[in-house]
Amino acid sequence: MDLKQVEYILKIAEENNITKAAQKLYITQSALNQQLLKLEEELGIPLFYRSRTNWRPTEAGEIYLKAAREMLHMKKEAYNQIHDLAERKKGTLAVGFTPGRGIEMFSEVYPRFHRTHYKIQVEPRELSVRRQQELISAGELDIGFVTYGPKFKSRNVSARLGDEELLLAIPRIHPYARLACDQRGCFTEGNLYELREEPFVLIYKESTLHEMVEEIFERAGFCPNVLFETSDFRTIVTMIESGFCCGILPYYYVRRHLDTMACFSLPGNPRFEIAAIYQRNSYLSKAARDFISMAREFWMNAQSNT
């Protein structure tokens, strides 16, 4: 296989459109189409079902794409090992992180990482935990930074960076807020059932923490009145501060808003993990290991300063 041709075909599959793929590759559509036609003539079978808006791989295309991804992954692994051996600190590092806390971690860690690994091209991607899992399994992401509950299962390796508590948060103007007390991070335990008539804004179902939130309400003995669900905890903070609703939030998102929100611990002190994930049975480059180490320091400092 011609590796350049492999990258072209993978880009068509990624974009589901030859025009968009050509734009991303900075080549003309006709040049990209010629490469595809040349390969299909060589193989004697079409690799894509063509349509104006959606190019889908045929059965032969799926076989080719699977082998193509494995080939590029093998190339990257070999280059990473050789670069580490030669101490050249070159190559690329695709890093995934979640919205909110993830971008704050990345913006803090990246400048420090770049000072010591300035020849490494970092490719940051803001993604959900599940999407990071998929891309790591496919070899398209080197490391991901995720949060997950105790029942979450992963096919990838998980390196624990810390854990965090989920809290009940309500507007400061709510009558129940008078019972709240925060003394150096030690919160009064709240009775969630007392707020059964109140509207809640919750994290969306695709989140790996959604199951934990559901279990919290199940133990409280009621089904919440859900105003809406969101992919970003910061939205929940904004809605609570505006006095519209209550919510379940990680401590990370309430620590700077204790003057505008009243927060309570929950029975059993439910906690989730913060972790770095990477592909099982895959070589982890020194650059990736260093990035994970710096991220671990970031979370340790964040937890000790709150």
Side-chain angles (χ1 to χ4, degrees):
M1 286 187 184
D2 178 343
L3 286 182
K4 181 59 71 176
Q5 192 177 62
V6 164
E7 292 173 358
Y8 287 169
I9 304 307
L10 283 171
K11 185 58 71 174
I12 295 173
E14 181 183 326
E15 298 297 328
N16 293 323
N17 184 287
I18 196 168
T19 304
K20 292 180 181 177
Q23 291 171 350
K24 293 287 179 69
L25 292 165
Y26 300 103
I27 61 174
T28 64
Q29 180 178 333
S30 60
L32 182 56
N33 193 48
Q34 284 300 315
Q35 288 289 329
L36 174 59
L37 291 174
K38 178 183 174 183
L39 177 59
E40 289 180 327
E41 184 178 352
E42 177 187 329
L43 296 172
I45 190 169
L47 296 180
F48 291 93
Y49 296 110
R50 274 89 157 161
S51 79
R52 239 180 170 180
T53 58
N54 185 25
W55 282 49
R56 295 181 295 106
T58 62
E59 185 177 356
E62 293 287 5
I63 294 170
Y64 181 93
L65 291 167
K66 182 176 184 294
R69 292 187 184 102
E70 290 174 356
M71 179 174 289
L72 287 185
H73 180 66
M74 289 171 62
K75 174 191 171 185
K76 184 165 187 175
E77 284 219 320
Y79 276 44
N80 283 338
Q81 292 181 60
I82 292 168
H83 288 153
D84 283 354
L85 188 64
E87 296 184 349
R88 291 169 62 186
K89 297 182 179 179
K90 292 178 65 178
T92 61
L93 182 67
V95 179
F97 46 82
T98 53
R101 72 169 69 229
I103 189 61
E104 185 171 333
M105 177 279 296
F106 182 83
S107 61
E108 186 79 23
V109 170
Y110 176 70
R112 180 182 166 199
F113 176 84
H114 182 66
R115 285 195 291 272
T116 54
H117 296 78
Y118 57 90
K119 290 185 179 179
I120 297 288
Q121 181 183 343
V122 176
E123 300 172 354
R125 300 188 66 177
E126 189 178 59
L127 302 161
S128 70
V129 173
R130 298 188 194 282
R131 185 57 179 153
Q132 288 185 60
Q133 290 262 84
E134 292 170 2
L135 294 181
I136 285 174
S137 296
E140 297 177 33
L141 199 64
D142 295 307
I143 51 176
F145 292 93
V146 302
T147 56
Y148 55 83
K151 293 185 179 180
F152 183 72
K153 288 182 173 58
S154 171
R155 290 175 293 172
N156 301 305
V157 176
S158 173
R160 186 176 180 278
L161 304 181
D163 62 22
E164 195 169 316
E165 185 177 1
L166 281 174
L167 300 167
L168 165 64
I170 67 175
R172 271 286 169 196
I173 59 173
H174 194 285
Y176 193 72
R178 73 185 189 281
L179 301 178
C181 178
D182 171 32
Q183 296 179 343
R184 298 183 179 179
C186 183
F187 295 92
T188 304
E189 185 174 297
N191 184 350
L192 189 57
Y193 190 76
E194 292 290 331
L195 301 167
R196 62 191 179 280
E197 302 296 332
E198 300 297 331
F200 280 82
V201 173
L202 302 176
I203 194 67
Y204 69 159
K205 291 180 175 62
E206 288 77 9
S207 168
T208 51
L209 300 184
H210 183 79
E211 188 176 2
M212 286 186 70
V213 173
E214 283 188 325
E215 289 180 351
I216 287 168
F217 284 103
E218 187 176 333
R219 286 195 297 270
F222 71 98
C223 184
N225 170 21
V226 180
L227 189 61
F228 68 88
E229 295 180 339
T230 175
S231 62
D232 195 336
F233 281 114
R234 293 170 298 188
T235 301
I236 302 177
V237 171
T238 300
M239 293 294 289
I240 295 170
E241 288 182 319
S242 299
F244 294 136
C245 65
C246 304
I248 306 294
L249 291 167
Y251 177 65
Y252 177 88
Y253 289 95
V254 307
R255 71 199 200 284
R256 295 175 184 166
H257 301 270
L258 295 174
D259 55 337
T260 54
M261 295 191 300
C263 297
F264 299 84
S265 65
L266 291 159
N269 300 109
R271 305 184 75 86
F272 59 90
E273 287 201 12
I274 302 165
I277 56 173
Y278 52 92
Q279 193 176 65
R280 192 175 299 280
N281 301 321
S282 178
Y283 178 77
L284 195 63
S285 69
K286 184 177 186 304
R289 295 195 301 272
D290 286 350
F291 201 103
I292 291 173
S293 178
M294 293 177 189
R296 180 178 283 108
E297 289 179 29
F298 168 81
W299 286 115
M300 287 177 64
N301 290 335
Q303 290 170 349
S304 64
N305 291 334
T306 56

